Amino acid sequence: MGQPESREHRAIEHSELPPGQRLQRGWPVTHYGPVPKFKPERWEFRVFGATADGEKRCWNHEAFSALPFTTVLADLHCVTKFSMLGAEWGGVAARTVLELAPPAPKVTHVMVWAEYGYSANVRIEDFTDPRTIFATHKGEDLLTAEHGFPLRLVIPHLYAWKGPKWVRGIEYMTADRRGFWEERGYHNIGDPWREQRYSYQEEPGDGPEL
Ligand SMILES: Nc1nc2c(c(=O)[nH]1)N[C@H]1C(S)=C(S)[C@@H](COP(=O)(O)O)O[C@H]1N2
Ligand SMILES: [Mo]
């Protein structure tokens, strides 16, 4: 009678590590370019592009920090094939930002912008996913500078390049446009469960012409 239990156990294990990924112990630092210096008086989080009312929305660091806090348990899958499992992220749900600064109904994609012009494009349904979170904390601790302090996006169901560290704002878009890595050979959608790593794997409809 042990059979159903062990099958379920295998299913859980499988659900944790996407195909082609290996478990990483510890938490490596992976990004392109230098670590930006946080200047609280200059920092703001901007929502722009196709907002519902056509107005931009802007929070300074104090105001953004006062938004409702929530936590999400999520794994981080780097396209270079390591995965970090079971992190607890704390911060502001993407849905909170969507409620406070709603997009126009015709919005199909969101460009997430970070320091130094790093960007990542995601479909609106990836952004509105209830587990998508602008993280300020991992576990009890504030993020460290190299892991994205003061704010990084975590989209648990996509490869980690879709979650910019040092995020500074979002742009609502009415058509898709490629972000930083999506222009440089990475897949426009980036679903780790389908191993959507590289742009040459894209099928018609997965992304704009390269
Ligand atoms: N701003 C910015 N964010 C970024 C990146 C980057 O190059 N710049 N790299 C991404 C990639 S490829 C990964 S795997 C994760 C790594 O996050 P970590 O350094 O906290 O492990 O950050 C993502 N966010
Ligand atoms: Mo990555």
Side-chain angles (χ1 to χ4, degrees):
M1 292 291 120
Q3 199 60 10
E5 194 190 329
S6 66
R7 207 181 301 135
E8 187 182 322
H9 186 68
R10 272 203 302 279
I12 289 167
E13 281 187 342
H14 174 77
S15 80
E16 285 181 342
L17 213 50
Q21 294 294 110
R22 59 179 181 272
L23 189 62
Q24 172 75 44
R25 297 202 179 279
W27 190 11
V29 172
T30 315
H31 58 262
Y32 177 83
V35 174
K37 193 167 165 19
F38 174 54
K39 301 186 185 94
E41 68 290 349
R42 302 255 310 264
W43 192 93
E44 54 181 21
F45 183 89
R46 281 165 30 97
V47 181
F48 60 103
T51 55
D53 61 4
E55 299 287 318
K56 294 184 179 66
R57 192 68 206 269
C58 196
W59 287 270
N60 65 21
H61 189 247
E62 197 187 346
F64 197 88
S65 305
L67 295 178
F69 185 88
T70 187
T71 61
V72 170
L73 206 59
D75 308 330
L76 192 147
H77 308 298
C78 177
V79 70
T80 63
K81 301 198 167 176
F82 71 82
S83 290
M84 178 180 75
L85 299 183
E88 188 190 74
W89 305 95
V92 178
R95 286 195 162 188
T96 300
V97 173
L98 284 155
E99 275 164 30
L100 296 170
K106 61 186 176 184
V107 167
T108 57
H109 293 79
V110 177
M111 190 72 81
V112 185
W113 288 100
E115 301 284 357
Y116 301 135
Y118 184 88
S119 61
N121 58 316
V122 296
R123 298 169 299 186
I124 188 74
E125 60 265 36
D126 295 319
F127 191 75
T128 56
D129 188 281
R131 298 177 69 220
T132 299
I133 182 169
F134 288 98
T136 54
H137 288 71
K138 182 175 162 283
E140 299 285 288
D141 304 321
L142 274 176
L143 294 172
T144 59
E146 52 288 2
H147 286 301
F149 179 81
L151 195 66
R152 76 180 292 167
L153 184 66
V154 175
I155 307 183
H157 65 282
L158 297 179
Y159 282 119
W161 88 77
K162 292 287 191 182
K165 303 194 276 192
W166 315 296
V167 61
R168 289 289 300 272
I170 58 169
E171 176 186 356
Y172 292 140
M173 305 196 294
T174 56
D176 200 4
R177 219 165 71 218
R178 289 175 187 269
F180 183 85
W181 287 120
E182 295 80 6
E183 276 185 334
R184 290 167 176 78
Y186 288 92
H187 197 284
N188 192 57
I189 294 170
D191 179 348
W193 301 99
R194 300 175 66 189
E195 272 207 89
Q196 293 175 328
R197 296 178 191 273
Y198 309 111
S199 52
Y200 66 73
Q201 300 172 294
E202 286 175 19
E203 291 176 15
D206 281 347
E209 291 284 302
L210 265 165

